Amino acid sequence: MTDAPLTAQVLTNRAIESANNGELGDARTLLAEALTRDPSYRLAWLWYAHVADSDGERKFCLQQAKALKDDPSLAADLQRLIKVEAERPNALRELVDPEPPPHLGPITAGKRPGFDWWWILGVVAAVAFAAVALWYFAPEERQTGEPVYVAFVSGFTDEPGDISTEMERVAQLSWDTINARGGINGHPVQMLVYDDDDDPAKAEEIAKQIVAEDKVLAVIGHGSSAACAAAGPIYQAAEILVISSVCTIDSITRNNDWFFRSTYDNHYQGMGIAAYLDDILDAQDVLLLVSDDIDSINLADNIEKFSDGVNLTRLPIADTTGRGLLGVVDEIKRITDRDTILVFATQDDIAEQLVIAMRNRGITNQVLGGDNLGSQAFLNRFSDMPQEQLSPGYYSDGIIAAAPMVVDSLSGNALQALRIYRARFGTDPDWQAATTYDATYAIRDAMARSGITGLPENRIEERHAIRDAIDAMDTPATASNGVLGQILFDKDGTMPRYPVFGIASGGTYVSAPVQLHPYAPVSATSLQADLASGKSFVVDNVVLQRQQIVFTGINFNEVSDLDLGNPSFYADFFIWFTYAGDESATNIVFQNAVNPSLALGDPIRESATPDGLTYRLYRVTGRFKAPLEFQDFPFDVQDLVVVFQNKTMPSSELVYAIDQSLLQTPQEVRLASGIDVTASINQIPNWLATSVDFYQETIGSSSFMGDPTANSARGVHFSLMASDITIERDIKPFLIKNLLPLALLVLVTYVSLYFPHSRTGARVSFGITGILTGAVMLNNVTNSLPDVGYTVAIEWLFYAFILLSACCIIIGLVGDYLWDQRNLVTLRRLDLFSHVFFITFVVSVVMVYVARFDLVAG
């Protein structure tokens, strides 16, 4: 049997067969060859027009067919292409008469097919997925209003650890956070920064400049008491609210109803120092050193005012240069003995010089100072001294200083703010930064409560509304939540807080083992008993009480056996306590222990220090509850926490503080086992331990559980200490095991889009197989999770694939309909759209997961 000659008819028939199989490129090649053999074969021209690659080629072929036979049926098709320029196909080469094509399909005007609706649909799909991704990551609130302005004023220096720089950083960080959440009532807040060099004359100039610019609604500043005293009357006259986070002179707020402060004043500070001397240190003789500035003089006056129970001598210091400094040191040595406590009411630079000179002269008396000595910046002043570099704390060890906070006893909002600042700037902020946070929060809430508009014509009215909102923060019910506690102001515009006392050790401050705390009676009948026992005492008609600070820490030996179904884990750890006072410090309960009776047992080591501190070490093993969250599964990060509190003593009497040695321990040491430093604490398969952190909180209730002797005005609150091990899933093995099969399934499903439309059954069956396989894989992947009432991250990924498979089924069915109608032009466009849509969908989903879970960095 011999093959039929390749005539135009034969080639055209083969082309029709290829076109019916969806192989349009082969069909055009065969038709071009048929027309090369017989250019007068009209049916080949008509079929070429049917499968042409562009409207220009289609018009050319129709014109050639019309020229061979003037067929009125072609007029309508040519009329649709009237605006299209005819294009001759690049290749026309190579005839039984085939049947005419049933339909030429819709012909649309346009130069190239790429401009047609399938491209538009592809772009719409991409935009839709991008919009969904943007919506997913967008902040909950939007900034829609005009910006409002606040000013920040302080004296900046170029020195490392500059306090004003820290204050400016936290203020800006606060406003950035507020703006990221939508601003104040939709208005972004912009902070204008001014430098007054802590100079009173320049502070006046800056205040006048701010008034003249007439932009700000409030001011945070200034950075020194002298600057505040100079600038305050100018703001008062212009009726602009000011909140200072560092100025402590009593008169600044008492004589100015537009000036407030987010720290204590010298009245509270002086009362606290005097009470600490008399009731905690049991001082007999005190030498009060006072430098010649308004802040120090005001503080010294308050200390002297409240020091009824001690023999106090006041020594003014006017000259600390050269012979003047030596003369002061000689005078100190002359009028004191070894038991005299030296109280510094001075600026930090003068205190530095005096401490160095005294230590060099062998004067080792106890030093107690105000908040000018209470910052890390003060202790850092000694760091360049040779003796200090050889032995950190050589000059400063043992100094007791008052301050609004000490880092090791921070909890709640303060601890969170500390971590944010540390992560952003790599250092811990001083107390001035914490009080600046509170100043910012007070202004934020006052603005929000005032309903600001940011309009210039409303500025005067809104300044008054903000000032009134601040003034109304005078009770716990109207107070705002700050970093160092509730933000409320007394009748003098001062936060009624008492100083916290730190003891310098190794170049940093740690909480003193005994603190002062406003009296919180356990019952209505307890005050007289507490006063009689010396547990509480009265200073200027204010009842204060002793608060025991217990230093504690945990060193993990092992964490293992993580149970996801009944969320809990096994832990083995050392726990220790260092404290002054009785054994109540170790009377604890582990709040999240599976066994409520889990106890410390007997100490495995204990000792006592010469200064009256007791140290006890215990080893504890047991299971602990873990409130696991799986919304981000398998990209989840979990916290395994061991929590304990005192059984009987409220936080007004006892507070647990983090041992300073733990705060200085790097993470790699914390993650090493306490019984084998070469081993990791983590013994949980398929999980990685990334950090161990410690924090202190205060918890409790406002109820006394029906106790008829309890004080109904107050609740019982307890100090809580927590050790938190952060673990994250070892994601790479998980992804390879569970998501690689899904990726291969996506690829196979995509390949099915290239199947000929004559095989619709195969196309649809691939989509159905994808849905069923995806559902089975999803069940296997989430089988290890407990029964949770929410959708986890991995489920959304499989749901997206199931949706994509359903779309492929729909595309296959639509393609089958177009194939039956032999609408090959639309069919070709549907294929192009499906390819673009599939890739866009997959890429969009992957990008959302990469961005949401930071998979590139991880």
Side-chain angles (χ1 to χ4, degrees):
M1 181 177 179
T2 60
D3 293 337
L6 293 178
T7 62
Q9 291 93 335
V10 171
L11 291 168
T12 301
N13 274 306
R14 292 183 180 180
I16 293 171
E17 184 180 354
S18 296
N20 288 338
N21 289 328
E23 299 165 351
L24 302 184
D26 292 344
R28 286 192 290 271
T29 300
L30 291 167
L31 288 169
E33 187 176 352
L35 289 168
T36 299
R37 292 175 182 269
D38 186 0
S40 64
Y41 190 50
R42 183 171 175 273
L43 285 173
W45 286 112
L46 291 173
W47 272 103
Y48 204 110
H50 185 65
V51 299
D53 193 39
S54 69
D55 287 346
E57 292 182 359
R58 181 177 291 110
K59 183 174 183 179
F60 178 85
C61 295
L62 290 174
Q63 289 173 340
Q64 298 303 312
K66 188 175 185 297
L68 292 170
K69 181 182 178 180
D70 192 3
D71 186 350
S73 66
L74 299 178
D77 292 327
L78 287 169
Q79 181 63 32
R80 294 189 189 97
L81 297 171
I82 192 170
K83 295 182 179 180
V84 177
E85 182 180 353
E87 297 179 15
R88 184 184 183 92
N90 291 329
L92 288 176
R93 315 188 284 252
E94 311 190 347
L95 231 113
V96 36
D97 290 333
E99 61 182 8
H103 182 253
L104 286 178
I107 305 175
T108 57
K111 290 187 177 182
R112 302 298 302 173
F115 186 70
D116 285 320
W117 63 273
W118 70 89
W119 281 110
I120 296 175
L121 285 178
V123 171
V124 168
V127 171
F129 283 114
V132 170
L134 288 174
W135 168 81
Y136 186 82
F137 294 108
E140 295 181 0
E141 301 181 49
R142 303 285 184 184
Q143 298 176 16
T144 57
E146 292 294 319
V148 294
Y149 297 91
V150 296
F152 177 86
V153 192
S154 192
F156 294 85
T157 70
D158 295 329
E159 297 177 3
D162 175 49
I163 293 296
S164 294
T165 299
E166 287 188 1
M167 294 161 59
E168 186 266 337
R169 283 174 174 175
V170 299
Q172 189 61 63
L173 196 61
S174 298
W175 295 124
D176 288 346
T177 302
I178 292 165
N179 289 337
R181 296 173 180 170
I184 305 294
N185 301 334
H187 297 274
V189 181
Q190 295 186 13
M191 188 173 78
L192 309 178
V193 180
Y194 302 84
D195 183 1
D196 66 2
D197 291 330
D198 287 336
D199 176 66
K202 190 170 182 180
E204 287 187 18
E205 295 177 6
I206 294 294
K208 291 176 181 177
Q209 178 184 345
I210 291 172
V211 171
E213 290 171 350
D214 195 28
K215 293 180 69 174
V216 306
L217 292 176
V219 177
I220 300 173
H222 292 227
S224 71
S225 291
C228 287
I234 298 171
Y235 296 120
Q236 183 179 25
E239 297 185 333
I240 297 177
L241 171 79
V242 188
I243 299 183
S244 173
S245 56
V246 296
C247 299
T248 55
I249 299 178
D250 298 338
S251 60
I252 288 177
T253 59
R254 292 180 182 177
N255 301 327
N256 188 336
D257 55 359
W258 285 85
F259 212 115
F260 295 77
R261 72 179 111 228
S262 57
T263 184
Y264 48 61
D265 61 10
N266 282 335
H267 171 85
Y268 287 104
Q269 183 176 201
M271 181 191 298
I273 291 174
Y276 201 84
L277 286 167
D278 188 14
D279 297 283
I280 306 301
L281 297 182
D282 195 23
Q284 301 299 315
D285 297 305
V286 171
L287 178 62
L288 181 59
L289 307 171
V290 188
S291 59
D292 190 19
D293 61 272
I294 57 173
D295 187 24
S296 299
I297 292 172
N298 182 235
L299 174 59
D301 289 345
N302 279 285
I303 294 172
E304 190 169 8
K305 172 183 176 182
F306 297 114
S307 295
D308 295 334
V310 299
N311 178 26
L312 186 145
T313 302
R314 185 162 176 159
L315 178 63
I317 302 172
D319 182 11
T320 58
T321 60
R323 291 186 177 275
L325 177 64
L326 295 178
V328 171
V329 174
D330 287 339
E331 184 66 8
I332 293 172
K333 197 166 186 176
R334 185 185 67 82
I335 63 176
T336 63
D337 58 33
R338 59 184 304 174
D339 295 326
T340 302
I341 296 178
L342 308 180
V343 177
F344 282 48
T346 67
Q347 294 300 308
D348 54 357
D349 56 339
I350 294 176
E352 173 202 3
Q353 298 175 53
L354 284 173
V355 167
I356 293 174
M358 289 191 309
R359 296 301 191 238
N360 289 340
R361 293 287 297 274
I363 300 176
T364 59
N365 294 58
Q366 175 67 64
V367 171
L368 189 152
D371 54 19
N372 284 331
L373 279 65
S375 68
Q376 185 62 43
F378 171 73
L379 297 183
N380 290 343
R381 285 179 168 272
F382 302 99
S383 60
D384 291 335
M385 301 296 293
Q387 297 93 327
E388 194 76 15
Q389 292 177 351
L390 290 173
S391 177
Y394 176 86
Y395 286 106
S396 60
D397 271 2
I399 292 177
I400 301 175
M405 71 163 205
V406 179
V407 169
D408 62 11
S409 59
L410 294 182
S411 62
N413 292 340
L415 188 61
Q416 182 181 10
L418 170 71
R419 290 173 175 170
I420 292 172
Y421 187 95
R422 182 187 294 160
R424 180 76 174 271
F425 302 108
T427 61
D428 289 344
D430 261 319
W431 66 260
Q432 295 90 339
T435 53
T436 301
Y437 267 122
D438 282 354
T440 307
Y441 291 169
I443 293 174
R444 171 202 65 187
D445 290 349
M447 284 182 172
R449 297 176 187 181
S450 303
I452 58 169
T453 65
L455 299 175
E457 58 268 28
N458 296 335
R459 189 165 295 134
I460 294 177
E461 177 184 347
E462 290 178 356
R463 285 172 178 166
H464 278 264
I466 292 169
R467 186 260 169 215
D468 292 343
I470 291 289
D471 193 47
M473 297 179 187
D474 57 355
T475 67
T478 59
S480 292
N481 291 321
V483 165
L484 298 180
Q486 284 194 313
I487 298 174
L488 57 84
F489 301 91
D490 64 14
K491 61 182 179 61
D492 295 320
T494 292
M495 287 194 184
R497 295 174 176 171
Y498 291 90
V500 178
F501 292 88
I503 300 178
S505 175
T508 190
Y509 278 113
V510 298
S511 295
V514 182
Q515 300 283 343
L516 298 175
H517 190 275
Y519 183 68
V522 175
S523 70
T525 60
S526 62
L527 176 58
Q528 295 304 320
D530 289 340
L531 289 172
S533 67
K535 189 175 181 179
S536 60
F537 43 87
V538 178
V539 181
D540 192 36
N541 297 319
V542 175
V543 182
L544 301 175
Q545 68 183 89
R546 300 171 188 268
Q547 183 186 58
Q548 186 179 2
I549 304 298
V550 179
F551 297 98
T552 184
I554 288 180
N555 191 342
F556 286 95
N557 302 317
E558 176 187 327
V559 289
S560 60
D561 193 18
L562 178 62
D563 185 349
L564 300 183
N566 184 21
S568 62
F569 65 98
Y570 171 83
D572 174 359
F573 55 88
F574 293 114
I575 181 171
W576 66 89
F577 303 87
T578 304
Y579 55 94
D582 60 30
E583 309 308 316
S584 299
T586 59
N587 185 21
I588 67 169
V589 57
F590 290 98
Q591 275 199 336
N592 63 326
V594 172
N595 179 5
S597 62
L598 180 65
L600 290 176
D602 295 327
I604 60 175
R605 188 187 307 166
E606 60 183 318
S607 62
T609 64
D611 52 357
L613 295 180
T614 299
Y615 166 80
R616 286 188 172 183
L617 176 68
Y618 301 83
R619 184 170 182 177
V620 177
T621 60
R623 295 197 64 82
F624 296 85
K625 300 173 186 177
L628 307 179
E629 296 290 340
F630 298 102
Q631 284 95 339
D632 293 341
F633 174 82
F635 312 102
D636 47 328
V637 176
Q638 304 292 353
D639 293 299
L640 307 182
V641 184
V642 173
V643 185
F644 66 87
Q645 70 170 68
N646 197 276
K647 286 183 179 180
T648 60
M649 297 184 68
S651 59
S652 59
E653 299 180 19
L654 182 146
V655 169
Y656 291 105
I658 305 168
D659 193 298
Q660 188 65 27
S661 63
L662 282 180
L663 295 176
Q664 298 172 350
T665 302
Q667 284 293 342
E668 57 268 24
V669 176
R670 298 182 190 181
L671 291 168
S673 173
I675 55 177
D676 182 2
V677 294
T678 64
S680 170
I681 63 172
N682 178 41
Q683 300 300 318
I684 306 174
N686 303 317
W687 289 84
L688 304 173
T690 59
S691 65
V692 179
D693 293 298
F694 308 92
Y695 58 89
Q696 181 262 340
E697 280 285 4
T698 300
I699 62 168
S701 72
S702 58
S703 171
F704 274 86
M705 307 302 175
D707 182 357
T709 65
N711 183 353
S712 59
R714 297 177 181 271
V716 179
H717 293 77
F718 293 89
S719 175
L720 172 151
M721 178 61 68
S723 298
D724 181 357
I725 303 175
T726 301
I727 61 172
E728 60 184 38
R729 209 175 293 272
D730 191 358
I731 197 66
K732 291 180 181 178
F734 182 92
L735 294 181
I736 292 173
K737 179 180 178 181
N738 296 285
L739 296 190
L740 182 57
L742 179 63
L744 295 175
L745 192 58
V746 171
L747 180 61
V748 170
T749 305
Y750 178 68
V751 171
S752 72
L753 295 176
Y754 288 88
F755 288 4
H757 285 281
S758 59
R759 300 178 60 190
T760 298
R763 280 173 165 254
V764 172
S765 65
F766 264 84
I768 294 173
T769 301
I771 292 175
L772 296 177
T773 306
V776 172
M777 292 174 62
L778 174 58
N779 182 67
N780 291 335
V781 170
T782 58
N783 197 36
S784 63
L785 297 181
D787 185 17
V788 296
Y790 46 81
T791 302
V792 301
I794 195 71
E795 290 178 309
W796 290 114
L797 185 61
F798 278 90
Y799 293 159
F801 171 71
I802 291 171
L803 174 62
L804 185 59
S805 298
C807 291
C808 290
I809 293 174
I810 295 172
I811 290 170
L813 295 174
V814 173
D816 183 60
Y817 171 79
L818 295 174
W819 174 253
D820 289 343
Q821 298 296 313
R822 291 298 187 270
N823 192 342
L824 301 181
V825 174
T826 304
L827 194 61
R828 185 166 62 250
R829 294 172 177 176
L830 177 66
D831 286 341
L832 182 57
F833 166 77
S834 65
H835 301 159
V836 173
F837 170 79
F838 193 103
I839 294 174
T840 301
F841 188 101
V842 171
V843 171
S844 298
V845 171
V846 171
M847 289 178 62
V848 166
Y849 273 79
V850 168
R852 170 64 178 82
F853 300 108
D854 199 17
L855 298 183
V856 174

